[in-house]
């Protein structure tokens, strides 16, 4: 099943396409085509080459060998590619256009969502139908930088659909969406698969491939492992083995690193009382009450755009809205003289944005050592003590064999695990994990959750775990901070939970 014979009227045909990226082979001799009436999924674990394939097809990469033949409809109407990197690029472009220092109100609203979708056109019935269907009306006039991950994913999807492309590529379209939005997105994808629009979905696990997909291309380390109808590919034992590999053994955690601070005894780690945050007329948080005790491991959950990111920025010192509010961090009232560094040194943090922004050209051990200095890159002097601590954490998380490897050469999933070791190397009091399984295949999601529980059970670090997805909560969770929708916004509810109830509700 490793090769496919193209037809005479192929929408797209790849002939011996190869790609080398940063001296590493990303794709090897791909022979593949999309025929009229077919709906495709490209399946493979992190690092298999799915993104490279999509970027070549969408003309984001031109330095490949081999030949690509495009049909007249594809040349005329093009390819729309919806992915996380696209969202990042749009937000960075919007930041560069920030002119708040020249405005009377010192505030730049950014590019409104509606403006991006329409691109200068006037709204029509099709625009209103899709934005209403995806429940986007409440943020259509908000700037791109001020919407959530899930809201951005909806924005990019509608923009792509309204462009009427010949081929629509969807990269893990359910990532970053809350439960209700995921269900609605599945229905929309099912409808699109039954339409005249040709779809190519990039999927990290077999259960993510919709039933409306007719054919599946499986990549493994840049090579085609299988290429056939959906049922035949799913019955292939080599595909099943690829998607469910064995897991590395976890080792004992290193000794706790020296901490240049002491905590106030008998005080909760975090206390928020009746906290409210407004941006102009927009109320982001209302009357939030939360006490995070020394033995707590908390899951923070809620719909897209409910205010989770704002809440996290209050406790990490990144949001000036914390001043003047009843917020106590590590026993010290916010605004009583502590610096942002005093707060940040007590946190270890991991999120997808950190991974995408991380400095390139570093070895794995150097990436982990940078956690001692809280830098994205390594600019300080370091020695054997830091090296030994970094290597100890890599071994503890089953990553000991990668110490000397180039960070760039690792798969997306392994990079995320390395950054977990980086977050823990200074033995933080609180490990803040913002959507840590976002973008990971099923295997690496299991590795991540297992590693988090290993940390919770064998160290004095407390976990704050933010996630949209049900069934992806570590078993250590014993507190649930949940944003629940009401007529006037969101109410934040905090309660004790068991591991089973936490997994079912997140």
């Amino acid at each position: 099943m490793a090769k496919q014979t193209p037809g005479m009227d192929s929408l797209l045909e790849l002939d011996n396409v190869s790609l080398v990226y940063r001296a590493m082979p990303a794709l090897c001799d791909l022979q593949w085509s999309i025929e009229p009436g077919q709906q495709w999924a490209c399946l493979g674990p992190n690092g298999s080459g799915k993104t490279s394939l999509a970027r070549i097809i969408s003309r984001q990469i031109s330095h490949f060998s081999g030949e690509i033949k495009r049909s007249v409809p594809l040349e005329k109407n093009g390819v729309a590619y919806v992915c996380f990197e696209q969202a990042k690029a749009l937000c960075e472009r919007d930041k560069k256009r920030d002119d708040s220092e020249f405005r009377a109100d010192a505030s730049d609203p950014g590019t409104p969502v509606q403006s991006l979708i329409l691109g200068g056109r006037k709204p029509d019935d099709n625009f209103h139908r899709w934005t209403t269907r995806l429940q986007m009306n409440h943020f259509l006039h908000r700037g791109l930088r001020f919407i959530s991950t899930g809201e951005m994913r909806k924005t990019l999807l509608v923009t792509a659909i309204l462009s009427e492309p010949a081929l629509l590529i969807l990269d893990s379209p359910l990532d970053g969406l809350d439960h209700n939005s995921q269900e609605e997105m599945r229905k929309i994808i099912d409808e699109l698969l039954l339409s005249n629009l040709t779809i190519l979905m990039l999927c990290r696990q077999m259960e993510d491939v919709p039933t409306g997909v007719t054919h599946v291309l499986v990549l493994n380390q840049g090579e085609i492992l299988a290429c056939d109808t959906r049922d035949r590919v799913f019955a292939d034992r080599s595909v099943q083995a690829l998607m469910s590999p064995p897991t590395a053994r976890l080792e004992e955690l290193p000794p706790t690193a020296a901490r240049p601070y002491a905590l106030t005894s008998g005080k909760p780690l975090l206390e928020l009382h009746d906290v409210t945050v407004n941006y102009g007329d927009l109320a982001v948080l209302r009357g939030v009450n939360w006490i995070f005790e020394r033995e707590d491991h908390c899951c923070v959950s809620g719909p897209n755009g409910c205010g989770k990111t704002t809440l996290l920025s209050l406790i990490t010192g990144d949001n000036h809205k914390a001043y003047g509010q009843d917020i106590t961090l590590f026993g010290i009232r916010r605004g009583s003289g502590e610096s942002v560094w005093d707060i940040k040194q007590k946190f270890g943090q991991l999120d997808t944005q950190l991974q995408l922004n991380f400095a390139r050209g570093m070895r794995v051990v150097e990436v982990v050592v940078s956690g001692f200095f809280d830098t994205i890159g390594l600019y300080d002097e370091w020695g054997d003590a830091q090296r030994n601590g970094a290597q100890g954490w890599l071994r503890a998380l089953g990553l000991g064999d990668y110490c000397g490897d180039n960070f760039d050469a690792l798969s997306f999933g392994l990079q995320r695990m390395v950054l977990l070791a980086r977050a823990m190397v200074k033995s933080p009091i609180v490990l803040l994990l913002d959507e840590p399984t976002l973008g990971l295949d099923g295997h690496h999601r299991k590795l991540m959750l297992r590693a988090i529980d290993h940390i919770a059970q064998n160290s004095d670090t407390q976990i704050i775990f933010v996630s949209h997805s049900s069934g992806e909560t570590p078993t250590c969770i014993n507190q649930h901070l949940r944003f629940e929708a009401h007529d006037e916004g969101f109410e934040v509810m905090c309660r004790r939970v068991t591991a089973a109830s936490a997994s079912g509700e997140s």
Side-chain angles (χ1 to χ4, degrees):
M1 294 198 299
K3 292 202 175 181
Q4 178 195 23
T5 303
M8 294 294 293
D9 299 318
S10 302
L11 180 71
L12 176 75
E13 181 182 338
L14 277 65
D15 186 11
N16 293 323
V17 169
S18 297
L19 172 67
V20 175
Y21 182 67
R22 289 180 178 165
M24 299 291 293
L27 297 173
C28 302
D29 298 326
L30 298 195
Q31 192 85 23
W32 174 62
S33 66
I34 297 178
E35 307 300 328
Q38 294 179 344
Q39 300 286 25
W40 281 86
C42 181
L43 177 67
N46 292 122
S48 60
K50 301 185 300 295
T51 299
S52 295
L53 174 63
R55 294 188 68 198
I56 286 177
I57 294 172
S58 59
R59 288 190 159 123
Q60 294 181 19
I61 291 178
S62 58
H63 56 278
F64 60 88
S65 62
E67 184 180 5
I68 296 184
K69 298 177 183 177
R70 293 176 170 86
S71 66
V72 172
L74 192 61
E75 288 286 5
K76 180 180 178 181
N77 297 321
V79 177
Y81 178 25
V82 179
C83 60
F84 187 84
E85 289 75 11
Q86 182 186 10
K88 176 191 172 187
L90 285 171
C91 287
E92 288 180 347
R93 185 188 70 176
D94 220 35
K95 286 180 182 178
K96 290 179 181 178
R97 296 178 176 178
D98 187 340
D99 63 351
S100 55
E101 61 180 305
F102 305 110
R103 299 171 66 97
D105 58 0
S107 176
D108 175 52
T111 302
V113 168
Q114 179 165 309
S115 297
L116 174 70
I117 294 173
L118 293 173
R121 305 184 307 274
K122 290 186 177 181
D124 56 14
D125 290 343
N126 208 22
F127 167 81
H128 290 301
R129 180 171 69 87
W130 279 108
T131 53
T132 300
R133 175 75 182 277
L134 284 168
Q135 300 178 354
M136 298 174 61
N137 292 322
H138 67 286
F139 64 86
L140 283 176
H141 299 288
R142 201 179 302 170
L144 295 177
R145 284 176 288 141
F146 307 105
I147 62 176
S148 69
T149 301
E151 290 166 345
M152 176 62 86
R153 190 164 288 274
K154 293 178 181 181
T155 298
L156 296 178
L157 177 63
V158 171
T159 304
I161 291 173
L162 295 184
S163 71
E164 299 182 345
L167 175 64
L168 174 61
I169 303 177
L170 301 176
D171 189 347
S172 303
L174 302 182
D175 276 4
L177 298 181
D178 57 63
H179 177 73
N180 290 337
S181 295
Q182 283 188 355
E183 290 302 309
E184 183 62 27
M185 185 65 76
R186 285 190 179 95
K187 293 178 183 177
I188 290 171
I189 291 172
D190 287 341
E191 290 179 17
L192 291 174
L193 289 168
L194 292 173
S195 71
N196 293 326
L197 177 61
T198 302
I199 307 289
L200 170 60
M201 289 187 62
L202 309 186
C203 301
R204 300 186 194 93
Q205 43 198 12
M206 297 172 76
E207 53 265 37
D208 290 342
V209 179
T211 55
V213 165
T214 61
H215 291 73
V216 178
L217 171 71
V218 183
L219 295 181
N220 181 27
Q221 296 182 342
E223 297 183 353
I224 295 179
L225 176 66
C227 181
D228 210 323
T229 62
R230 183 182 190 276
D231 292 342
R232 289 178 180 174
V233 168
F234 278 21
D236 188 334
R237 292 189 177 182
S238 64
V239 174
Q240 297 169 4
L242 173 68
M243 303 309 297
S244 301
T247 56
R249 185 175 66 90
L250 299 178
E251 296 189 14
E252 184 178 350
L253 301 186
T256 302
R259 292 166 173 156
Y261 53 83
L263 296 179
T264 305
S265 61
K267 295 282 189 179
L269 295 179
L270 311 172
E271 292 183 81
L272 286 75
H273 298 286
D274 198 28
V275 171
T276 296
V277 173
N278 296 305
Y279 290 99
D281 296 331
L282 178 64
V284 180
L285 296 176
R286 298 187 183 198
V288 175
N289 294 284
W290 179 29
I291 296 179
F292 186 64
E293 299 281 2
R294 193 66 183 87
E295 302 302 320
D296 286 340
H297 299 295
C298 183
C299 173
V300 180
S301 71
N304 297 121
C306 65
K308 298 188 296 298
T309 299
T310 299
L311 176 67
L312 299 182
S313 69
L314 292 175
I315 66 174
T316 58
D318 291 319
N319 195 326
H320 70 279
K321 296 283 187 179
Y323 291 104
Q325 307 236 35
D326 192 352
I327 298 177
T328 301
L329 308 178
F330 307 104
I332 301 174
R333 178 70 178 260
R334 188 75 175 98
S336 60
E338 85 290 8
S339 68
V340 172
W341 168 247
D342 292 330
I343 298 170
K344 285 186 174 297
Q345 66 180 337
K346 301 177 180 70
F347 282 99
Q349 291 186 247
L350 174 61
D351 57 45
T352 306
Q353 201 63 42
L354 170 67
Q355 182 172 355
L356 294 175
N357 290 336
F358 210 85
R360 301 301 176 187
M362 297 176 65
R363 289 178 297 146
V364 166
V365 68
E366 293 170 335
V367 170
V368 179
V369 167
S370 73
F372 283 110
F373 311 104
D374 284 317
T375 54
I376 302 179
L378 190 55
Y379 312 103
D380 298 85
E381 294 292 330
W382 57 289
D384 291 341
Q386 288 90 355
R387 181 190 299 276
N388 291 338
Q391 291 175 339
W393 270 104
L394 287 168
R395 288 193 298 270
L397 301 184
L399 302 167
D401 292 340
Y402 300 100
C403 276
D405 288 9
N406 191 311
F407 181 72
D408 298 347
L410 299 185
S411 71
F412 189 87
L414 284 176
Q415 286 183 355
R416 183 72 56 81
M417 294 296 296
V418 169
L419 291 176
L420 176 61
R422 175 189 177 273
M424 281 302 302
V425 75
K426 64 178 182 178
S427 297
I429 296 299
V430 176
L431 176 60
L432 180 54
L433 303 164
D434 191 356
E435 297 274 11
T437 61
L438 183 67
L440 300 186
D441 58 47
H443 172 65
H444 286 97
R445 289 181 188 183
K446 292 177 184 177
L447 292 183
M448 177 62 69
L449 295 176
R450 183 183 64 149
I452 293 168
D453 278 325
H454 187 40
I455 290 167
Q457 293 164 9
N458 297 291
S459 75
D460 64 352
T461 295
Q462 307 305 121
I463 308 297
I464 297 178
F465 184 95
V466 183
S467 179
H468 288 116
S469 305
S470 61
E472 288 188 355
T473 304
T475 59
C476 64
I477 296 300
N478 56 20
Q479 184 188 59
H480 195 169
L481 193 72
R482 185 177 181 86
F483 287 70
E484 296 184 350
H486 289 271
D487 292 339
E488 297 183 356
F490 294 93
E491 181 180 358
V492 180
M493 311 294 294
C494 185
R495 65 186 183 86
R496 310 300 300 179
V497 297
T498 63
S501 64
S503 278
E505 291 185 16
S506 298

